Amino acid sequence: MKRRDVLHALAAAATAAMLPPALATSGGTRIEVFKTETCGCCGAWVEHLTRAGFQVTVRNVPETASARKRLGMPESYGSCHTASVGGYTIEGHVPADEIKRLLATRPEAVGLAVPGMPVGSPGMEMGSRRDPYDVLLIDKAGRASVFAHYPKAGTPSKP
């Protein structure tokens, strides 16, 4: 484990402890996140969701592959955390706005995935560096299509 990961995890815990009780217990769409206890970028993604108005429940697990499998997300789209919201599975560093759009449009799908850990995605911020990445919509057969594309500048484009 890297020192940066420990510092991110501590910052995430401190931020969560300072949330106003009303924000921590009411309002927002419920999302359940499965992550390992020591993953700092997962904690930063949870903070991103909380700031976006989601009501987050964190489940620290020894590994995330079993949650991913149980929720129907193919392992090939795996990342460091898995979430469940509104009947969908969210894999990896998916921006909160894309989760909200998924819930608003309700496509027939397993859910959304951002495989790997692209720099500049929510929870993977590293200064001004922003690598391009796609948010993938995973259908019930396990096939992916681009739900949103984030170029280097960080402004998404929708197909």
Side-chain angles (χ1 to χ4, degrees):
M1 178 178 2
K2 295 180 181 172
R3 182 176 178 191
R4 178 177 55 89
D5 293 335
V6 172
L7 293 174
H8 279 198
L10 290 172
T15 300
M18 294 185 304
L19 287 175
L23 181 59
T25 60
S26 67
T29 301
R30 294 177 188 269
I31 187 168
E32 186 174 23
V33 177
F34 300 88
K35 66 175 211 55
T36 60
E37 188 170 2
T38 58
C39 185
C41 68
C42 295
W45 186 69
V46 166
E47 288 179 35
H48 166 74
L49 294 177
T50 301
R51 284 191 308 270
F54 285 93
Q55 185 177 348
V56 184
T57 300
V58 173
R59 306 277 183 225
N60 287 318
V61 295
E63 47 76 28
T64 57
S66 57
R68 195 167 24 261
K69 183 177 180 178
R70 181 174 49 79
L71 294 170
M73 181 61 68
E75 187 63 35
S76 60
Y77 303 111
S79 185
C80 57
H81 53 264
T82 304
S84 178
V85 60
Y88 291 103
T89 303
I90 307 298
E91 184 63 32
H93 295 268
V94 176
D97 286 346
E98 304 308 338
I99 298 170
K100 290 176 181 180
R101 185 164 67 100
L102 174 77
L103 295 172
T105 59
R106 308 280 321 157
E108 285 289 320
V110 171
L112 298 176
V114 172
M117 300 165 66
V119 173
S121 61
M124 288 298 299
E125 294 87 356
M126 293 186 181
S128 62
R129 181 175 161 196
R130 303 240 186 285
D131 292 349
Y133 66 95
D134 290 328
V135 177
L136 304 176
L137 179 69
I138 310 304
D139 71 16
K140 302 269 183 176
R143 295 177 303 237
S145 60
V146 175
F147 191 72
H149 175 72
Y150 284 75
K152 279 189 163 239
T155 304
S157 62
K158 316 291 187 218

